[in-house]
Amino acid sequence: MFGAFGGPGPEGFAEVLSGMGFQQSAALSLVTGGTELGAGALLVLGLFTPAAAAGVVGLMASAVFVKLGAGFFNADGGFEMDAILGAVGIGLLFTGPGRVALDYGRVWFRRPLGFGFFGLIIAAGAAAAILILFHRP
């Protein structure tokens, strides 16, 4: 998000998003980076797991849709890593957090299936909204 570990930072990521056909890429890069950072931190802690996994699934669904034309395994922009991360997010949606998670004992820990479907609807809606509102073909 901040250009750490050799990343492009918000400005560089905004250029990448603009090259992929997204409008208002500067604001979208901050929202995307914040979602990735926040959802990743929450998943590591095992806190608010359905919401965090929904964030990951929504981001990865958008990424897969945009990269679909490049192919699955492609060194120049394939979507295999995005698809794998999205699948892991879906798995976390429906299995819930583990026993060492901070969510242990909460209602979504005891009933992950219902919260998983709710999270999947939120993720699909968010991905569709981003693609409809900000992506130009």
Side-chain angles (χ1 to χ4, degrees):
M1 166 127 190
F2 306 108
F5 306 110
E11 296 84 16
F13 187 51
E15 290 178 19
V16 170
L17 287 174
S18 182
M20 290 179 168
F22 284 96
Q23 301 171 351
Q24 300 180 6
S25 58
L28 197 58
S29 72
L30 292 175
V31 170
T32 302
T35 303
E36 288 177 350
L37 181 66
L42 289 174
L43 287 176
V44 167
L45 294 172
L47 187 62
F48 304 116
T49 306
V56 169
V57 171
L59 285 174
M60 294 304 112
S62 298
V64 167
F65 180 81
V66 171
K67 296 178 179 180
L68 206 53
F72 191 73
F73 291 113
N74 188 346
D76 297 324
F79 63 89
E80 73 279 351
M81 185 64 170
D82 304 316
I84 290 170
L85 291 174
V88 168
I90 289 173
L92 284 172
L93 269 174
F94 290 107
T95 60
R99 291 185 187 158
V100 296
L102 294 176
D103 277 344
Y104 185 76
R106 296 187 188 207
V107 67
W108 50 83
F109 178 83
R110 294 187 307 266
R111 302 179 196 276
L113 194 59
F115 282 94
F117 280 116
F118 183 68
L120 191 60
I121 290 169
I122 290 173
I130 291 295
L131 290 170
I132 289 169
L133 296 175
F134 295 106
H135 189 256
R136 59 184 181 271

